[in-house]
């Protein structure tokens, strides 16, 4: 392949007005309509002065940051007290004899082997010096003798590189000017997060002089999020200049330079070994995490839509790869060379343009498909399965006894109305004089239509035609062979033309069925009837359910039995064997229909999520599960999630294909989809912005280290406004002879996500014990592989972690503790729900699920939770580690795992805090409403801070809405959920973080000594590599 500059003359022409210019700061991540400080309020005056605190990050931090370890205390909330003693102080005394000394994540400054072919790479200059990768850079805590933690042999002169934007680039990319300005480093200590670290050398023991492991010295996930989040507030992520994406839970603005944004695609290795042997030495998976329709942030460039007319977009005649920025042109522009298979293709006359002396097309700057990594192509009729139309939404509503008694029916109808028309849907003055709805208030795109069906023992269809004075109901009592008694014009209507009819119907439905109350719903016949109504066009079904469907064809029964838990046959509870449900799921995909379920389980009764959710999972939909639904508390969450489901970007009739360079091949896919045979395209009835998929690759030859490795994901789908398109996502990685360079460019979030997806896939094939063993062995294999191949010069007693996998062990521990895999009793519905969540989770959603974010409210600095006066960014305080050792008596904490947000209140919390947070009536924990779901709007400083932080968190989540649930110490059952979310502590049969590192380190030592046995769990296999064993 020609020099990278031939097909990537990026950055040569800069528009001063371009918001993505490298010299411009990033667009603000969160400029909220934040509540301002109350008038006349003097921060801190009512609670007294702030106590001095020890800075964990050693040095002056940004104003938004404070001590991560022991939060400061306000005199008005509770009296000054000593920091809680660490639970490790007594119990960990014997660890030094087991572990020797733990040098966690230290990288030295040894020079890497020069790369003779670096001018051929897309990026990565690997022979420049870099800084230390010590997790906390050897910073001593408190008044400990620094010599205990600092390596006296560590070089004093360390390269001062930019921590997140200064990844080294090859001469082929040097047309980009270096970013100026002093790098932001905590405490003035150089850091290499996001840079290519050199191989690790120990920075000294992490066992204190008293023989105890210091928990402060082990890698911290909160810090690994907070520091990059602060950096990317004012910096843009350039996709070709930077090659290690930000952490999955960090918001950022991406500038597409030809390599797709990490929001759409993340490679586990951004530098790939040329041979399978080199990859196997690392034990790392080679894979791609894809989120094709991921939402873009405000300030990012919209995905361009290109129309090439009847011929369609240019494609390689051999491998069918779509035109992209990495294809090169030769013969004066008459041929283009495929970057996947290197086949030279003739350029169509209508697409021809001459090339300049360097081989670049003269019209490159006017061709988005040659400049951007993610584009969409309009496709001709040969790509159509059926005539594209606007998306048909069919709301299928459970009107059975449980739905009425529990308030689920009212809440679901309110949610639909709020999603379609906003919270003020009942106001007649919102309509235009002619009855139309202004374009700015539409939540659905033009061309979309909605229909409404209800069901209990019977199926009820509704004619909501705008020409009627009131809706008409048609009852279908024959559920053995149901049919649709309405034509499409009567069942599906424009929701804004028929606004008054739909509002009237949805407000009357709860009253209409309040006296009927059939206890047994017939769900499968209703789904079949709904499918029949959408077969001609395709569409999306939104279905509610509040009782186990035990009536009619496809009736289900109680399968969950505690006697089956923990034994080999338990895996049968995680899948369906019902032929009728499987047949319906397959038909939905073939018809281009997806379904989202909203399932309420009042009292936690069994709902057979494995069978019902199979339809949504295979059709590309989603299941929203409310395991203990209370209308007072959960109705608001339900309404927000219904609205999100309807308003997020959604496509239907979708097919997906992933192509890769010669020398590689797709070995497996992981996610929620239908694939008839291996190698066939993935099929989806519907696909939305929150869905992610994992793709694993294997070698079918040897990669050429002179060339780059390329990957393209092509998603063919119909948009909600009725256009047939292909979205192409292009990703590039450099290739190296060995794996030493690959270790520098590991994407930790992608590795964890792909391992989690494959482990979830194995749940229907292996026992949970075998899967937990496989995950443990996989963790040891990866770290032992690094230890053997790349850090063999260190003493065997030291635990050395790769720079970009410092937090990998904690994420794996979080995976072992999640509901899908945890040991001990757990309802099969919860396990199955979490299993399917893992299979479709994005990097953001999984990161939060495995390690929640925790913020103390009782010790917030006065400026936190408000926009900065200088930049306008919200000042977010640092998160705490998920351990009870960080919890203070009298404290109040917000805890969010992306699914549920808890507000935990200590039993001795100050009445002053409660009054500031909840109002004058809240003088004690008992006075609070146990079904609280949002904070009241008060004119107090603390209340404004908390509401602004919650609004910020709500903007950084997956598909689940953020509402607050109280967890009062000693009063609420949610306190058990709070304890489960403290993932660094020992809970149930799972180890604490420190114990887990000891266990992993022992396994690494046995592997190095050749004494590690493989007995139980042999053959499970995780992440597409060698089989795992105990």
């Amino acid at each position: 392949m020609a020099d990278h500059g031939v097909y990537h003359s990026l950055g040569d022409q800069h528009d001063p007005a371009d918001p993505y210019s490298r010299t411009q700061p990033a667009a603000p991540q969160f400029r909220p309509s934040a509540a301002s400080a109350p008038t006349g309020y003097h921060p801190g005056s009512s609670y007294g002065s702030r106590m001095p605190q020890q800075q964990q990050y050693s040095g002056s931090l940004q104003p938004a940051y404070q001590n991560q370890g022991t939060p400061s205390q306000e005199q008005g909330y509770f009296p000054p007290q000593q920091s809680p003693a660490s639970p490790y102080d007594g119990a960990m005394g014997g660890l030094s004899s087991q572990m020797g000394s733990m040098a966690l994540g230290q990288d030295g400054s040894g020079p890497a082997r020069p790369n003779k072919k670096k001018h051929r790479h897309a990026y990565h200059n690997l022979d420049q010096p870099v800084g230390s990768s010590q997790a906390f850079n050897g910073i001593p805590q408190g008044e400990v003798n620094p010599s205990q933690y600092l390596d006296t042999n560590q070089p004093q002169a360390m390269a001062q590189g930019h921590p997140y934007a200064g990844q080294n680039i090859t001469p082929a990319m040097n047309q980009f000017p270096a970013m100026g300005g002093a790098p932001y480093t905590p405490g003035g200590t150089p850091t290499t997060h996001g840079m290519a670290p050199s191989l690790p050398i120990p920075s000294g023991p992490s066992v204190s002089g008293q023989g105890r492991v210091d928990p402060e010295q082990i890698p911290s996930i909160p810090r690994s999020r907070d520091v990059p989040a602060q950096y990317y507030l004012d910096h843009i992520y350039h996709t070709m200049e930077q090659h290690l994406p930000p952490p999955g839970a960090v918001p950022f603005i991406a500038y597409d330079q030809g390599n797709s944004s990490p929001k759409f695609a993340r490679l586990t290795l951004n530098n790939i070994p040329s041979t399978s042997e080199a990859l196997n030495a690392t034990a790392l998976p080679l894979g791609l995490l894809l989120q094709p329709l991921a939402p873009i942030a405000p300030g990012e460039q919209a995905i361009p839509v290109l129309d090439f007319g009847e011929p369609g977009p240019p494609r390689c005649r051999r491998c069918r790869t779509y035109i992209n920025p990495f294809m090169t042109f030769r013969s004066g522009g008459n041929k283009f060379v495929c970057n996947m298979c290197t086949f030279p293709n003739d350029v169509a006359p209508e697409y021809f343009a001459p090339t300049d002396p360097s081989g670049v097309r003269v019209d490159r700057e006017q061709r988005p498909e040659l400049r951007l990594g993610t584009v969409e192509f309009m496709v001709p009729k040969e790509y159509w399965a059926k005539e594209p139309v606007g998306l048909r939404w069919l709301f299928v509503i459970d009107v059975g006894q449980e739905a009425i008694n529990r308030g689920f029916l009212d809440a679901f109808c309110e949610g639909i109305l709020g999603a379609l028309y906003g919270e003020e849907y009942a106001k007649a003055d919102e309509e235009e004089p002619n009855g139309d709805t202004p374009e700015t208030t539409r939540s659905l795109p033009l061309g979309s239509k909605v229909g409404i069906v209800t069901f209990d023992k019977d199926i009820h269809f509704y004619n909501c035609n705008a020409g009627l004075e009131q809706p008409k109901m048609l009852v279908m009592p024959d559920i053995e062979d149901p049919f649709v008694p309405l034509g499409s014009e009567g069942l599906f209507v424009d929701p804004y033309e028929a606004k008054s009819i739909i509002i009237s119907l949805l407000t009357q439905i709860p009253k209409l069925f309040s006296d009927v109350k059939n206890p047994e719903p017939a769900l499968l016949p209703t789904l079949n009837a709904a499918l029949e109504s959408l077969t001609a066009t395709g569409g999306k079904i939104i279905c509610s359910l509040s009782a186990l469907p035990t009536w009619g064809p496809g009736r289900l029964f109680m399968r969950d039995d505690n006697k089956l838990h923990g034994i080999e046959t338990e895996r049968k509870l995680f899948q369906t064997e019902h032929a009728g449900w499987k047949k319906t799921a397959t038909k939905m995909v073939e018809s281009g229909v997806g379904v989202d379920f909203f399932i309420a389980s009042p009292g936690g009764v069994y709902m057979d999520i494995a069978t019902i959710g199979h339809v949504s999972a295979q059709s590309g939909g989603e299941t929203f599960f409310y395991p203990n639904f209370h209308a007072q508390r959960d109705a608001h969450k339900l309404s927000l999630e219904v609205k999100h489901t309807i308003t997020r970007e959604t496509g239907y009739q979708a097919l997906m294909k992933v192509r890769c360079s010669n020398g590689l091949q797709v070995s497996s896919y992981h996610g929620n989809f239908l694939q008839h045979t291996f190698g066939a395209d993935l099929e989806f009835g519907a696909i939305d912005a929150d869905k992610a998929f994992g793709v694993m690759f294997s070698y079918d030859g040897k990669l050429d280290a002179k060339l780059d490795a390329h990957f393209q994901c092509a998603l063919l789908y119909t948009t909600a406004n009725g256009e047939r398109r292909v979205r192409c996502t292009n990703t590039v990685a450099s290739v190296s002879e060995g794996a030493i360079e690959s270790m520098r460019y590991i994407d930790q979030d992608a590795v964890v996500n792909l391992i989690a997806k494959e482990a979830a896939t194995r749940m229907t094939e292996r026992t949970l014990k075998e899967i937990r063993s496989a995950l443990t062995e996989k963790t040891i294999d990866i770290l032992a592989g690094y230890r053997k191949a790349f850090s063999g010069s260190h003493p065997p007693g030291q635990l050395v972690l790769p720079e970009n996998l410092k937090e990998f062990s904690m994420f794996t521990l979080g995976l072992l503790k999640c509901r899908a895999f945890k040991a001990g009793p757990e309802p099969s519905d919860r396990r199955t729900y979490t299993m399917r969540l893992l299979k479709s989770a994005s990097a953001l959603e999984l990161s939060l699920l495995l390690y929640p974010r925790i913020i103390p409210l009782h010790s917030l600095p006065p400026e936190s939770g408000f926009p900065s006066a200088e930049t306008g960014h919200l000042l977010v305080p640092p998160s705490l580690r998920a351990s009870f050792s960080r919890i203070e008596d009298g404290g109040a904490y917000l805890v969010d795992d992306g699914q549920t947000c808890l507000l935990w209140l200590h039993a001795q919390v100050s009445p002053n805090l409660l009054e500031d947070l909840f109002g004058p009536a809240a003088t004690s924990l008992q006075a609070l409403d146990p079904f609280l779901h949002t904070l009241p709007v008060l004119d107090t400083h603390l209340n404004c801070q908390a509401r602004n932080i919650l609004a910020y968190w709500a903007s950084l989540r997956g598909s689940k809405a953020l509402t607050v649930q109280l967890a009062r110490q000693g009063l609420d059952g949610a306190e058990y959920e709070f304890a489960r979310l403290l993932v660094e502590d020992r809970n149930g049969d799972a180890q604490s973080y420190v114990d887990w590192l000891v266990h992993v380190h022992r396994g690494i030592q046995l592997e190095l000594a050749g004494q590690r046995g493989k007995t139980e769990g042999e053959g499970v296999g995780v992440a597409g590599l060698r089989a795992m064993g105990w």
Side-chain angles (χ1 to χ4, degrees):
M1 181 178 291
D3 193 315
H4 181 70
V6 172
Y7 57 77
H8 243 285
S9 57
L10 300 171
D12 291 338
Q13 301 176 13
H14 298 290
D15 184 358
D18 185 359
Y20 294 97
S21 174
R22 290 180 304 280
T23 59
Q24 301 295 326
Q29 297 297 307
F30 189 66
R31 292 187 184 272
S33 53
S36 57
T39 306
Y41 190 94
H42 300 288
S45 60
S46 61
Y47 302 120
S49 59
R50 187 171 304 279
M51 297 178 64
Q53 52 186 327
Q54 173 188 339
Q55 291 289 348
Q56 177 175 337
Y57 295 159
S58 278
S60 59
L61 296 178
Q62 300 287 341
Y65 282 80
Q66 63 163 347
N67 177 28
Q68 175 181 301
T70 305
S72 62
Q73 303 167 8
E74 299 281 2
Q75 294 181 2
Y77 288 157
F78 44 80
Q81 58 181 348
Q82 294 183 351
S83 302
S86 171
Y88 306 111
D89 288 348
M92 295 296 110
L95 288 182
S96 59
S97 61
Q98 303 175 27
M99 302 181 65
S101 58
M102 291 173 54
L104 292 172
Q106 293 81 303
D107 285 3
S109 58
R113 177 179 57 83
N115 189 346
K116 298 179 181 179
K117 299 172 182 175
K118 61 185 179 181
H119 64 284
R120 291 288 195 172
H121 286 280
Y123 39 72
H124 306 329
N125 185 6
L126 301 169
D127 53 0
Q128 296 185 12
V130 293
S132 167
S133 64
Q134 161 77 343
F136 289 88
N137 212 50
I139 299 174
Q141 304 295 314
E143 298 180 358
V144 181
N145 185 356
S147 63
Q148 296 181 21
Y149 301 97
L150 296 179
D151 180 16
T152 56
N153 297 324
Q154 187 173 358
Q156 297 297 316
M158 307 177 73
Q160 299 288 336
H162 204 294
Y164 304 110
Q167 285 110 356
N168 308 310
I169 57 178
T170 63
M173 293 292 292
N174 64 6
Q175 64 267 37
F176 298 104
M179 299 189 66
Y184 165 73
T185 53
T189 304
T191 177
T192 60
H193 183 97
M195 296 178 62
S198 58
L199 294 180
I201 60 172
S203 293
S206 59
V207 182
S208 67
Q210 290 76 23
R212 303 186 185 98
V213 172
D214 187 353
E216 296 295 335
Q217 292 298 305
I218 59 181
S220 166
I221 290 181
R223 185 177 184 276
S224 72
R225 292 171 177 170
D226 290 340
V227 177
Q230 184 74 9
Y231 172 80
Y232 280 109
L233 286 175
D234 300 305
H235 297 82
I236 293 173
Y237 178 84
H238 294 82
T239 62
M240 286 300 294
E241 295 179 38
Q242 297 161 262
H243 320 298
L244 203 58
V250 170
F252 63 95
I253 296 291
Y255 177 32
D256 190 342
Q257 297 176 310
N259 193 26
S260 286
S261 166
K263 296 177 181 180
F264 301 111
R266 282 176 175 259
L267 276 169
T268 56
L269 298 173
N270 292 283
N271 180 287
I272 301 175
S274 60
T275 63
S276 59
E277 292 78 10
L279 179 66
N280 291 340
T282 70
L284 286 165
L286 175 57
L288 187 63
L289 176 63
L290 292 167
Q291 192 178 355
L293 300 181
I296 59 175
E300 288 184 333
Q301 181 179 359
I303 305 301
V305 180
L306 312 175
D307 189 355
F308 285 86
E310 191 61 31
R315 303 179 67 178
C316 174
R317 288 194 294 114
R318 176 191 286 175
C319 67
R320 305 302 293 162
T321 299
Y322 290 86
I323 190 75
N324 62 74
F326 303 102
M327 288 187 174
T328 56
F329 290 82
R330 69 186 193 191
S331 301
N334 287 291
K335 289 185 178 293
F336 67 90
V337 180
C338 178
N339 60 310
M340 298 289 179
C341 65
T342 68
F343 180 75
N345 296 267
D346 292 330
V347 175
E350 61 271 15
Y351 192 64
F352 173 79
T355 58
D356 62 19
S358 64
V360 177
R361 281 175 60 118
V362 296
D363 65 344
R364 179 184 184 86
E365 293 303 317
Q366 290 74 47
R367 292 285 187 181
E369 73 274 13
L370 300 180
R371 294 186 298 106
L372 303 178
T374 304
V375 296
E376 286 197 338
F377 300 110
M378 299 287 291
V379 293
K381 290 185 178 181
E382 62 186 85
Y383 292 80
W384 296 4
K386 56 186 70 173
E387 183 76 22
V389 296
L391 184 56
R392 266 52 173 165
W393 296 89
L394 185 60
F395 297 100
V396 179
I397 306 172
D398 177 12
V399 292
Q401 177 177 317
E402 281 293 334
I404 296 170
N405 292 345
R406 301 287 183 169
F408 188 62
L409 176 58
D410 288 271
F412 193 69
C413 291
E414 287 290 325
I416 297 173
L417 288 170
L420 292 177
Y421 309 114
E423 296 180 357
E424 303 297 327
Y425 59 84
K427 290 186 178 181
D429 59 338
E430 286 200 352
E431 291 191 359
E432 295 290 300
N434 59 358
D436 294 334
T437 302
E439 183 67 26
T440 55
T441 64
R442 293 181 67 100
S443 57
L444 298 181
L446 289 171
S448 297
K449 294 186 177 182
V450 302
I452 298 174
V453 173
T454 59
F455 71 99
D456 44 25
K457 284 185 176 180
D458 303 322
I459 308 171
H460 322 104
F461 296 86
Y462 296 89
N463 187 341
C464 297
N465 194 291
L468 299 175
E469 294 183 1
Q470 60 182 11
K472 293 183 178 181
M473 180 173 71
L474 291 87
V475 181
M476 174 56 61
D478 182 12
I479 60 174
E480 294 294 332
D481 188 18
F483 63 93
V484 182
L486 276 174
S488 60
E489 294 302 320
L491 181 60
F492 294 100
V493 298
D494 187 302
Y496 303 102
E497 292 179 359
K499 178 178 178 180
S500 59
I501 300 289
I502 293 176
I503 290 177
S504 173
L505 173 61
L506 290 175
T507 52
Q508 291 178 21
I509 282 178
K511 302 174 184 177
L512 185 63
F513 292 93
S514 59
D515 298 328
V516 180
K517 295 185 178 179
N518 284 316
E520 298 179 289
L523 179 57
L524 185 60
T526 305
L527 290 177
N528 287 329
L531 173 60
E532 184 180 344
S533 69
L534 290 167
T535 299
T537 60
K540 189 72 178 280
I541 298 172
I542 308 295
C543 180
S544 69
L545 183 69
S546 58
L548 188 67
T550 55
W551 187 263
R555 66 179 64 88
L556 302 177
F557 56 92
M558 175 70 178
R559 294 196 298 154
D560 197 2
D561 188 343
N562 289 334
K563 296 179 181 179
L564 297 176
H565 293 181
I567 61 177
E568 186 174 354
T569 54
E570 182 181 12
R571 62 175 179 264
K572 293 183 178 179
L573 298 176
F574 310 143
Q575 56 189 320
T576 181
E577 297 178 355
H578 197 294
W581 288 86
K582 288 184 176 180
K583 182 179 179 181
T584 297
T586 303
K587 281 186 175 180
M588 282 193 171
V589 178
E590 293 172 350
S591 302
V593 177
V595 57
D596 286 349
F597 285 111
F598 289 81
I599 300 179
S601 173
V605 298
Y606 178 68
M607 295 295 292
D608 201 351
I609 300 293
T611 298
I612 299 172
H614 172 77
V615 180
S616 63
Q618 195 162 62
S619 66
E622 185 171 3
T623 298
F624 294 83
F625 186 42
Y626 308 88
N628 189 22
F629 183 83
H630 287 277
Q632 292 174 271
R633 181 192 66 205
D634 299 323
H636 183 59
K637 180 179 178 68
L638 172 64
S639 178
L640 292 176
E641 289 177 348
V642 171
K643 182 175 183 179
H644 176 75
T645 299
I646 296 174
T647 56
R648 65 186 172 187
E649 184 175 3
T650 303
Y652 65 105
Q653 296 181 33
L655 297 171
M656 192 175 82
K657 179 77 171 179
V658 176
R659 297 177 174 88
C660 55
S661 293
N662 285 342
L664 296 174
Q665 62 183 355
V666 175
S667 60
S668 61
Y669 292 96
H670 300 288
N672 294 326
F673 49 77
L674 175 64
Q675 188 179 24
H676 288 289
T677 59
F678 178 74
D681 294 349
L682 306 188
E683 299 182 34
F684 311 89
I687 186 171
D688 58 67
D690 295 316
K691 298 298 178 292
F693 314 95
V695 188
M696 301 295 298
F697 301 98
S698 60
Y699 289 80
D700 63 357
K702 180 180 179 181
L703 295 176
D704 189 347
K706 300 177 184 178
L707 307 178
D708 301 308
H710 298 273
F711 306 86
Q712 184 181 82
C713 167
L715 177 69
L716 174 64
Y717 73 108
T718 304
T719 64
N721 60 357
E723 294 181 348
R724 194 72 170 157
R725 299 179 183 173
V726 171
R727 174 168 292 196
C728 289
T729 303
N730 300 284
T731 309
V732 63
S734 56
V735 179
S736 58
E737 290 289 352
I740 185 170
E741 292 88 354
S742 302
M743 299 302 295
R744 304 166 183 262
Y745 296 100
I746 302 172
D747 186 338
Q748 179 174 254
D749 287 278
V751 172
V752 172
N753 204 298
L754 284 171
I755 290 177
K757 281 176 166 50
E758 182 158 1
T761 303
R762 296 279 190 254
M763 281 184 65
T764 58
E765 305 169 5
R766 298 285 179 166
T767 65
L768 294 177
K769 185 177 181 181
E770 288 175 330
I771 293 174
R772 289 193 295 270
S773 298
L775 289 171
T776 302
E777 296 301 320
K778 187 63 182 175
T779 304
I780 295 174
D781 281 345
I782 290 175
L783 298 180
Y786 178 78
R787 190 73 169 83
K788 286 190 296 186
F790 311 113
S791 58
S793 60
H794 308 315
Q798 291 183 335
L799 174 61
V800 182
L801 303 178
E803 165 61 25
N804 295 320
L805 290 176
K806 289 198 304 292
E807 297 82 24
F808 175 70
S809 298
M810 183 62 244
F811 277 123
T812 309
L813 180 60
L815 192 60
L816 292 170
K817 292 184 176 184
C818 78
R819 293 188 186 276
F821 307 121
K822 65 184 287 289
E826 188 71 26
S828 64
D829 277 348
R830 301 294 290 270
R831 287 197 189 273
T832 308
Y833 169 76
T834 308
M835 173 191 75
R836 295 200 174 113
L837 174 63
L838 292 174
K839 291 170 70 175
S840 65
S842 64
L844 166 64
E845 196 164 23
L846 184 67
S847 179
L848 294 178
L849 181 68
L850 301 185
Y851 197 100
R853 45 194 175 189
I854 304 176
I855 285 183
L857 293 180
H858 58 279
S859 57
L860 287 177
E863 67 276 2
S864 290
F866 293 104
S868 167
E870 292 79 16
T871 64
H873 301 312
L874 192 75
L875 298 177
V876 182
S879 302
L880 296 183
R881 300 182 75 145
S883 171
F884 197 76
S885 63
R886 308 302 176 122
I887 304 302
E888 293 185 336
D889 292 343
Y893 297 86
L894 284 173
V895 186
D896 176 33
D897 69 345
Q899 311 295 311
T900 305
C901 183
L902 300 178
L903 175 53
W904 187 83
L905 299 169
H906 190 272
Q908 300 174 7
V909 67
S910 167
N912 292 345
L913 183 146
L914 295 178
E915 185 174 338
D916 277 0
L917 202 55
F918 300 104
T923 56
S924 67
L925 291 182
Q926 291 77 10
L928 299 178
D929 180 6
F931 299 116
L932 178 84
H933 56 78
T934 55
L935 293 180
V937 179
L938 303 176
D939 194 29
T940 64
H941 194 79
L942 181 63
N943 181 270
C944 295
Q945 287 178 302
R947 285 188 289 109
N948 287 343
I949 291 172
L950 288 173
Y952 172 75
W953 277 3
S955 69
L956 300 174
R957 290 169 73 86
S959 59
K960 308 305 185 294
L962 186 144
T963 56
V964 176
Q965 183 175 351
L966 281 183
R968 300 168 294 177
Q969 188 179 33
L971 295 176
D972 296 316
E975 189 179 7
Y976 292 100
E977 179 69 6
F978 172 73
R980 188 186 70 84
L981 294 178
L982 298 177
V983 290
E984 289 198 16
D985 294 337
R986 181 181 180 89
N987 43 34
D989 295 333
Q991 298 169 307
S992 69
Y993 188 13
V994 172
D995 290 342
W996 170 245
L997 285 175
V998 171
H999 177 71
V1000 169
H1001 183 53
R1002 186 181 300 116
I1004 294 173
Q1005 287 180 311
L1006 291 174
E1007 179 71 19
L1008 294 176
Q1011 300 174 358
R1012 183 160 158 244
K1014 299 282 184 178
T1015 54
E1016 189 176 351
E1018 186 73 30
V1020 177
V1022 172
L1025 299 178
R1026 65 188 182 90
M1028 299 294 98
W1030 180 252

